[in-house]
Amino acid sequence: TFDKLTDINVEYDDVLSNKEDRDAFFNALDDFKASGSEHTVVLRRPFAQLNIATTIKDWEDAKAVTKTDKPVTASAVKVSSLAATATTPVTVEFKANELIDETISIKRAGEENPSEYKLLAMNYLLPVVTKAPNGVGNYQESTLDTDKDVVEVEFTLYKGENGAEQIINVKVPSTPVQRNYRTNIIGDLLTGEVFDII
């Protein structure tokens, strides 16, 4: 919800995990005048995207053990200590929902090419705005640690029809999230709970 784009609020009450339709992009033009000229405007995501994914080998190994094509059918994500305002951290819960049937490509440090991972959860968070669009089509990028929120992520994976049975619950402390960036928690999550944060 918003009022003239000056007071933007995200309602996290009773929301489901893995909803791709929550994505959004924006930019702003200062003192724009229609003169017949064209302006290239780069759209940026106001949200931080939080992905949880496992290696394809881990997914296949879990399929062999469970003797099913879908060893995980649903996921839920809880994010604690998100700085929803400059002074008030909140806890956000994305309730269990079916997986998005996709893989994602992620390049880890030291790898020449990106690897494919099976997506287990994907959600959007709105951290405190620290950098804003600047000028016509420009954007102030920042990689300062002070522009990141550090949160605790807890994810729960379920199997069976409609996610009937909980199988895994993992807490990931000290996870950085920043708007217009993806944070990826990846690894062998189904058979080993070994993960990296990228």
Side-chain angles (χ1 to χ4, degrees):
T1 59
F2 56 87
D3 179 16
K4 298 180 181 177
L5 295 179
T6 58
D7 186 11
I8 300 174
N9 297 285
V10 175
E11 302 295 335
Y12 289 112
D13 297 335
D14 202 33
V15 292
L16 296 175
S17 185
N18 307 318
K19 299 293 283 185
E20 292 180 282
D21 59 0
R22 292 204 191 96
D23 202 3
F25 297 86
F26 81 109
N27 206 323
L29 298 178
D30 295 333
D31 299 324
F32 176 76
K33 293 179 177 60
S35 62
S37 60
E38 293 183 0
H39 295 279
T40 299
V41 178
V42 178
L43 299 179
R44 304 287 179 165
R45 179 179 280 127
F47 301 110
Q49 182 177 328
L50 177 63
N51 299 320
I52 299 166
T54 198
T55 63
I56 299 299
K57 181 182 184 309
D58 186 55
W59 179 261
E60 295 298 324
D61 289 348
K63 282 171 57 174
V65 169
T66 59
K67 297 180 173 36
T68 176
D69 286 339
K70 293 184 178 179
V72 178
T73 56
S75 63
V77 176
K78 179 179 176 181
V79 179
S80 302
S81 301
L82 178 68
T85 70
T87 58
T88 308
V90 297
T91 296
V92 176
E93 293 191 50
F94 297 95
K95 295 182 179 179
N97 194 27
E98 64 184 21
L99 300 188
I100 299 169
D101 189 16
E102 291 181 8
T103 61
I104 56 176
S105 295
I106 301 169
K107 186 174 180 181
R108 300 169 86 162
E111 288 184 342
E112 186 174 329
N113 298 307
S115 298
E116 292 293 309
Y117 293 83
K118 176 65 178 174
L119 193 60
L120 300 176
M122 186 277 299
N123 290 289
Y124 295 103
L125 303 164
L126 185 62
V128 170
V129 174
T130 54
K131 296 292 179 183
N134 179 26
V136 178
N138 296 324
Y139 192 87
Q140 287 179 300
E141 288 288 2
S142 177
T143 57
L144 297 175
D145 288 340
T146 54
D147 294 328
K148 298 181 179 78
D149 280 350
V150 178
V151 299
E152 179 179 275
V153 175
E154 180 179 356
F155 63 90
T156 307
L157 305 178
Y158 301 85
K159 69 177 183 178
E161 189 172 348
N162 298 319
E165 181 182 348
Q166 177 179 320
I167 54 173
I168 293 173
N169 178 264
V170 178
K171 289 185 178 178
V172 185
S174 303
T175 303
V177 293
Q178 183 177 2
R179 67 189 199 122
N180 199 47
Y181 285 86
R182 293 184 179 115
T183 296
N184 302 299
I185 300 172
I186 59 172
D188 294 322
L189 301 178
L190 305 183
T191 62
E193 287 192 18
V194 177
F195 58 83
D196 290 329
I197 302 172
I198 297 176

